[in-house]
Amino acid sequence: MNLLATAEKVNLVGFDGPDPKYVIFWIRDGKQVAKTVCYDDEDYRNAMAQAWKHEGFEVIKNAGS
């Protein structure tokens, strides 16, 4: 079964704010367990100060930032 949707037929629900500067995916036991959305460098520094709680992480930087 294929499903096709267009913006006119889908009710989009979510945050309609600024684009994030970074998204951090936190890894524990080899699995992604959480993510943190950072809107500026201060958010990023605060989040990374907590990195010791996790086994690893992956950071995605918004190309437009």
Side-chain angles (χ1 to χ4, degrees):
M1 174 183 206
N2 292 329
L3 178 64
L4 178 63
T6 63
E8 293 81 26
K9 296 180 182 179
V10 176
N11 184 12
L12 301 176
V13 178
F15 182 71
D16 188 22
D19 289 336
K21 188 167 186 176
Y22 302 97
V23 177
I24 305 168
F25 296 98
W26 301 106
I27 300 167
R28 192 177 302 140
D29 296 327
K31 298 178 183 175
Q32 179 186 326
V33 295
K35 73 178 172 183
T36 302
V37 178
C38 305
Y39 293 97
D40 56 33
D41 290 328
E42 183 178 0
D43 284 349
Y44 177 75
R45 286 190 299 274
N46 290 336
M48 292 307 292
Q50 303 298 314
W52 60 271
K53 295 179 179 180
H54 301 279
E55 184 176 283
F57 58 89
E58 180 179 351
V59 177
I60 308 295
K61 184 176 188 314
N62 187 339
S65 296

